[in-house]
Every structure is written in C-alpha cells, then in structure tokens.
Amino acid sequence: MKKNIEIAQDILQEGRITATKHANGRDWWIITKRRNSGRFYNILLDADNVQVKDIQEFENISAYSGIGQSIFAPDGSKYVSSTIRGNVGSDCYIDIYDFDRCTGTLFNPIQITYADSAWSGGCAISPNSRFLYVSSYRYIYQYDLWAENIEATKDTVAIYDGFII
C-alpha cells in the first residue's frame, strides 16, 4: 500500500472521522464530514488502496460545525454524529443514519435537536448496538436506536451532582 496519498481536498470537520469493518470482514469503511456542510466522504480502505468510494450530500441534516463526535455502532449498522454549537442553551444536534456495510452508504437520516447546558459532549453506543448515549456538561441521555421513534425514547440516565475532586 502506498503512503501519504491525499484522498480529499477539502476542509474536514474536527472529530468527525470514524471507521467500521466492511461486511466482507477484511476491509474498512471510513466516514468523514466536510466542515459546515452535509457532505460526507465514504472512504474504502482495503489491503491495496485507500480511496473515496462515494461522496454523499444530505440537505436537511446538521451542517453546523461545533464540538462533537462521530461514531459507528459496534455492529456497523448505525452512524451517529453529535454536534454542540458551543453556547450554553444553544441547540445541540444528533444526526443518526443507517449504514450499509457492503456499499458504504449512509441512508435514512434522522436529526434530533435539543437545547442543553452543553459546553462539551460526546456520544457512545452500547455493545449490543441498541442504546445511544449522548453526554453534555450536566446530563447523559439515552436513546433506543431500535425504536420506531428514536427521539421519543430520550431518557436522562445521569445528572452531574457538582462533585469536584
């Protein structure tokens, strides 16, 4: 495999690169996002090459930059991106996509918007790929990714008690 090959001439979003194993069990899919847009680069990494296989553009999904994180579910079936705009009380966004591990395609986008105490945050998915956890400065929220209406399953599972070491 060749090294130091430029695969995208673009301004990419910080914290928005993540990978999951291809359905063939050998190769990897890498997804990264263009800054301030709904454009995603679907990159295939195999034994011989790394290449952009597709560029997908989503119009109605968060195009905002901000603090956040992107992750895949452990089984590779979902791709999630959380974005915090940086101001306390500002809207925060969770973008959830189904992911096809054979083709590297994102589809069925869902956006959840909420206001929070967020100055920081991230997301994680349970080992069985069912529950999404989204953190903010004071709260941890849980969503059921298997539900018909994911947004309706929001549950506050932890609240920061103010303890400082």
Side-chain angles (χ1 to χ4, degrees):
M1 180 181 294
K2 296 178 184 177
K3 294 183 180 182
N4 302 321
I5 299 170
E6 186 174 302
I7 57 173
Q9 291 184 342
D10 211 337
I11 300 170
L12 303 178
Q13 177 66 47
E14 311 85 341
R16 299 302 192 281
I17 186 168
T18 190
T20 193
K21 198 165 261 196
H22 190 290
N24 67 19
R26 293 181 315 272
D27 304 331
W28 289 85
W29 289 110
I30 302 166
I31 303 291
T32 191
K33 185 178 180 196
R34 183 183 196 286
R35 187 162 204 216
N36 293 323
S37 85
R39 178 181 296 163
F40 291 85
Y41 290 89
N42 305 7
I43 301 163
L44 179 63
L45 172 66
D46 62 28
D48 302 317
N49 204 5
V50 58
Q51 61 182 311
V52 175
K53 291 300 277 186
D54 194 14
I55 298 173
Q56 290 185 266
E57 192 90 33
F58 293 92
E59 295 293 325
N60 298 325
I61 293 298
S62 175
Y64 303 111
S65 292
I67 299 166
Q69 179 180 5
S70 293
I71 59 169
F72 276 104
D75 68 2
S77 66
K78 299 276 188 193
Y79 170 87
V80 177
S81 183
S82 66
T83 302
I84 298 166
R85 295 291 304 273
N87 300 323
V88 174
S90 292
D91 284 344
C92 301
Y93 304 94
I94 304 167
D95 297 324
I96 303 169
Y97 303 81
D98 290 325
F99 184 73
D100 184 323
R101 291 177 51 222
C102 292
T103 64
T105 304
L106 297 165
F107 60 102
N108 293 334
I110 298 168
Q111 183 176 77
I112 298 171
T113 304
Y114 62 98
D116 197 290
S117 62
W119 286 15
S120 62
C123 52
I125 298 176
S126 63
N128 67 357
S129 299
R130 180 170 186 172
F131 297 105
L132 168 64
Y133 297 93
V134 179
S135 65
S136 70
Y137 180 70
R138 295 197 53 200
Y139 304 101
I140 297 177
Y141 304 110
Q142 175 185 280
Y143 295 89
D144 186 344
L145 294 173
W146 294 357
E148 284 291 318
N149 183 349
I150 295 171
E151 186 171 11
T153 67
K154 181 180 178 182
D155 186 18
T156 302
V157 295
I159 302 172
Y160 174 56
D161 65 5
F163 177 76
I164 299 175
I165 296 174

